[in-house]
Amino acid sequence: MKSLDQEIKYNIDLETSKISIIDIGSNSIRMLIYENFNYSRVPFFNEKAVCELGKNLDKSRKLNNKGKEYALKVLKRFSEILNVSKIKNVRIIATAVLREAIDAKDFILEVENLFNTKLKILSGNEEAEYTAEGVKVGFKNVDGLVADLGGGSLELTKVENNTITDKTSLPIGVLRLMNNPLIKKRNLSKYVRKLFKDEKWLSKKTFNNLYLVGGTWRALFKLHLFENSHPVHIIHQYSVERKQLQPFVNKIASFNKSKLKTVEYISKSRTPYLPYSSIILDEIMNLINPKNVLCSISGIREGALAIEYFKDFSQNQIFNNSLNYLAFKRGDLANNYKRYYDFLKPIFDDNDHFNNELLNLSCVLSHMDWGLGAFQKAELVFNETLNTPLLRLNHTDRIKLALSCYWRYCSIKYNPQIEYLKFLNNNEIYACKQIGAALRFAHTLTSISTIFLEEFKLYKRGNSLFLKIPFDHQEIISKQVTKRFKALSREMFLEPRVLYSK
């Protein structure tokens, strides 16, 4: 449990550690603001503007005049937001467009004067590395090829068990291609294959996973998600098997302008690039033959901050910081979730379908009460948990957590919408019900105070579930506590046993 001094320090940290990062790309400019990157990798401000700074860059070698004018207006607005918010901790990065434009110097000076901050132009290899580091922020273990398609370039990075081994940057960007009179849809595949041929490491090994980064590929995956009625409307960690994705990609690649006008769900600024991005994706899949293709919303910006922020932290410390942040945001000021976790952990240590990390999270996320009826609470908590702001949760884990928190608030005889249950096998559903019943029991047991959890013990022996409590606390065992202890035991296929000790 945190002391008052620690709590005050935590509040001060959140007030003084807000950080902003601005990414100036060939097609768009984006600004993110984080409350504290050490605690949460989900920004509370995220705004993008399509400026097309790199339009016709191949031909003119200069920044697009209209794009430059619009970009400066956007950046002035971003500057005003930072000034009003009193955020002075700012990072500015730029990619292919400012690497290549011969007239970029004056624009760079204007930006640096506007923010009183040095702008960092990334090399192609740095861009590839930062993107891969950003994907590592959003996934527990990255193993495969990271591909970042921007307006001016394509970065490819080989990552083996979270270690970067090869990387490259290629002049393949959707804005660049659409404004190149020599490259059309009909010869784009041939052009891409020729560039890939020079990267010998790409064809040496089959990659299990392909991680896609970049706005156009996010738009493509969002379209696929809605067309396939995927129940979890979160694009991050949306995963599709290659054999299922290929026909969809080929279909979008064949779309002409009139067909693209009928596309729903995605921004119209992204729509014209869909066929180009689909052709490039198809060529990558044909080359590396991945089993799964996954979408990542974390990329170059998150990577730039991770390199700076996480160099002295272990993965365990990063995870614990995230838990503390979530608990703080939920109003759990004394970190009560740790008491629940320590109390329940002994009976779930051997659960292969709901690991300790998820149990820890469920103890944080289930602690919510709006004073509504049980079933209303259950539905609200389910949706809140499903969409919890943690990047490293895949969709299956999100559903497991949401189900366990749902059943914490209502009896297991009720079920959420059936499409969520279809994601899990029977053993996983049983595990979620057991966690839900355990949380339901623990919250009933602590109706007076959570400090009792430190004095009670819950454990399994043989075919029995034991609750051991001090003799002088026997009045805690009310009818409601007994009822829910029996319900938990029944879900775990064990006999309930209550023991008293001096």
Side-chain angles (χ1 to χ4, degrees), residues 268-329:
K268 294 303 176 186
S269 66
R270 299 287 189 194
T271 306
Y273 305 127
L274 288 178
Y276 285 81
S277 67
S278 297
I279 292 168
I280 295 166
L281 176 55
D282 186 54
E283 289 302 324
I284 295 174
M285 289 192 295
N286 289 336
L287 179 64
I288 70 168
N289 192 29
K291 182 180 178 183
N292 301 302
V293 185
L294 306 95
C295 189
S296 175
I297 66 167
S298 59
I300 190 169
R301 295 171 290 272
E302 291 77 11
L305 293 178
I307 288 170
E308 176 182 349
Y309 274 76
F310 293 161
K311 58 180 181 294
D312 298 323
F313 287 92
S314 68
Q315 290 301 318
N316 192 48
Q317 287 173 308
I318 294 168
F319 175 71
N320 287 334
N321 281 346
S322 296
L323 281 185
N324 290 335
Y325 173 82
L326 279 175
F328 178 82
K329 283 296 185 181

Side-chain angles (χ1 to χ4, degrees), residues 200-214:
K200 304 299 182 186
W201 59 272
L202 269 176
S203 56
K204 283 183 178 179
K205 180 186 174 184
T206 299
F207 296 78
N208 284 328
N209 301 303
L210 172 60
Y211 303 87
L212 300 183
V213 182

Side-chain angles (χ1 to χ4, degrees), residues 8 13 71 123 143 289 321 355 397 473 494:
I8 292 170
D13 282 347
S123 68
D143 189 61
N289 192 29
N321 281 346
N355 61 37
D397 284 347
H473 289 324
L494 298 171

Side-chain angles (χ1 to χ4, degrees), residues 132-275:
E133 291 293 340
V135 173
K136 285 162 62 177
V137 166
F139 290 78
K140 289 179 184 175
N141 183 55
V142 179
D143 189 61
L145 183 71
V146 173
D148 180 11
L149 180 62
S153 62
L154 170 69
E155 279 66 47
L156 300 172
T157 313
K158 180 180 176 183
V159 184
E160 297 182 278
N161 292 318
N162 267 0
T163 301
I164 296 172
T165 57
D166 291 284
K167 56 195 172 188
T168 191
S169 179
L170 302 172
I172 307 171
V174 288
L175 183 64
R176 184 190 294 259
L177 293 171
M178 283 200 69
N179 289 285
N180 189 327
L182 300 178
I183 301 172
K184 303 295 181 184
K185 275 174 59 179
R186 63 178 179 272
N187 64 352
L188 178 56
S189 290
K190 185 178 179 181
Y191 174 74
V192 171
R193 282 197 298 270
K194 184 180 178 182
L195 289 174
F196 285 171
K197 202 171 183 180
D198 293 332
E199 305 298 329
K200 304 299 182 186
W201 59 272
L202 269 176
S203 56
K204 283 183 178 179
K205 180 186 174 184
T206 299
F207 296 78
N208 284 328
N209 301 303
L210 172 60
Y211 303 87
L212 300 183
V213 182
T216 308
W217 275 337
R218 284 198 301 272
L220 186 68
F221 261 49
K222 184 178 180 182
L223 183 59
H224 186 276
L225 181 149
F226 280 104
E227 281 196 1
N228 287 273
S229 302
H230 185 71
V232 182
H233 293 170
I234 298 171
I235 199 65
H236 184 65
Q237 291 221 25
Y238 180 49
S239 177
V240 187
E241 290 185 9
R242 181 219 170 160
K243 61 185 178 183
Q244 295 176 335
L245 184 63
Q246 200 104 38
F248 171 78
V249 168
N250 291 335
K251 179 183 78 171
I252 302 300
S254 68
F255 277 13
N256 55 28
K257 286 184 180 180
S258 60
K259 189 69 175 175
L260 286 170
K261 289 178 182 178
T262 67
V263 172
E264 297 180 312
Y265 308 118
I266 64 172
S267 166
K268 294 303 176 186
S269 66
R270 299 287 189 194
T271 306
Y273 305 127
L274 288 178

